[in-house]
Amino acid sequence: MVCNRYHVHDLGVIITYNYVVPYCTAAFGMSAALAAIMGYAANGFHFVGCAIGGQIADRKGLSTMMLADVILMIVGVAGILYTPRSMKFMWMLIISIALLCMFMYSAQALHYAVLEEGEYPVEIMGAVTFIISPLGYSAESIMPLYNGWCLNHFSGLEGYEMIFKTFIGMLCIAIVAILIFRKLTKERRTEMAEMRKKGEEAN
């Protein structure tokens, strides 16, 4: 269930990412076309994030990489929210969006892989996934409603700011969930680290 809490919050983040482009249009005065091009260009970092995340997770551990993913996503969201609203600082905005994109999808790639650190019996893994998936993906129906409420309830950029602050709050909850998961799986993670070390020595 700890893993599922992370799953919910990460999918909420992915849904909320869709508001980055309209925010750029409203906050920085850029055209919708330029904002869309920048948003789609940043999507190219998905592949980079997944590749980097997979390599590091293999070497340092799944939940370790997941924790790094969430922290770097917070940096990216904070960068988007607090970049000075001037075209002179566009480079900061681009770096922030790239960070968010890279590590958002790196984290998503570890959703179910991290269950390995829980040492769940293979016989119940399918059942566990069956329970996690509907609960985790429930964020896809809740977050658009919440984000729409923010935009309707708060005027101007204040609505976007509330969305992104919630974004950061969700990621902070994910950090707590990961830390709890790591505490519960300490012995298993130590065992897996020893196995990785032996494998590296054998190679």
Side-chain angles (χ1 to χ4, degrees), residues 9-26 32 35-40 42-43 46 73 77 80 97 100-101 104-105 108 139-145 147-148 151 159-160 163-164 167 170:
H9 296 304
D10 187 44
L11 287 168
V13 164
I14 290 172
I15 292 298
T16 305
Y17 174 75
N18 294 327
Y19 294 83
V20 169
V21 170
Y23 170 76
C24 290
T25 303
I37 289 170
M38 188 171 69
Y40 281 115
N43 287 339
H46 294 178
M73 279 192 280
V77 178
I80 293 169
I97 293 174
L100 177 58
C101 279
M104 179 171 65
Y105 281 91
Q108 188 184 31
E140 292 194 347
S141 59
I142 296 171
M143 289 311 298
L145 296 174
N147 294 338
L151 294 176
Y160 288 106
I163 289 172
F164 290 126
F167 211 147
M170 292 169 63

Side-chain angles (χ1 to χ4, degrees), residues 15-195:
I15 292 298
T16 305
Y17 174 75
N18 294 327
Y19 294 83
V20 169
V21 170
Y23 170 76
C24 290
T25 303
F28 292 87
M30 65 179 68
S31 67
L34 177 58
I37 289 170
M38 188 171 69
Y40 281 115
N43 287 339
F45 287 97
H46 294 178
F47 306 104
V48 178
C50 289
I52 292 174
Q55 291 296 318
I56 296 176
D58 285 342
R59 289 169 171 76
K60 301 297 183 181
L62 295 161
S63 61
T64 299
M65 186 61 217
M66 187 179 287
L67 183 61
D69 286 333
V70 176
I71 291 170
L72 289 166
M73 279 192 280
I74 290 175
V75 173
V77 178
I80 293 169
L81 184 58
Y82 296 110
T83 293
R85 290 164 188 164
S86 168
M87 294 296 283
K88 291 190 301 182
F89 296 96
M90 187 59 57
W91 60 274
M92 289 179 60
L93 184 64
I94 292 171
I95 291 173
S96 298
I97 293 174
L99 270 176
L100 177 58
C101 279
M102 284 176 62
F103 295 102
M104 179 171 65
Y105 281 91
S106 169
Q108 188 184 31
L110 300 178
H111 276 165
Y112 298 111
V114 76
L115 291 173
E116 183 181 355
E117 291 186 356
E119 200 174 12
Y120 300 106
V122 176
E123 293 78 10
I124 68 167
M125 285 290 286
V128 170
T129 304
F130 175 77
I131 294 169
I132 289 174
S133 292
L135 294 175
Y137 282 96
S138 65
E140 292 194 347
S141 59
I142 296 171
M143 289 311 298
L145 296 174
Y146 172 77
N147 294 338
W149 177 83
C150 286
L151 294 176
N152 289 331
H153 190 75
F154 300 97
S155 60
L157 293 176
E158 192 177 356
Y160 288 106
E161 290 172 354
M162 184 59 65
I163 289 172
F164 290 126
K165 287 175 182 177
T166 303
F167 211 147
I168 292 174
M170 292 169 63
L171 289 168
C172 289
I173 294 172
I175 287 178
V176 173
I178 295 167
L179 291 174
I180 294 171
F181 179 80
R182 285 175 59 79
K183 184 176 181 179
L184 294 173
T185 59
K186 184 177 180 179
E187 291 183 8
R188 171 61 175 167
R189 287 187 296 103
T190 300
E191 179 185 332
M192 292 176 68
E194 290 175 356
M195 292 171 61

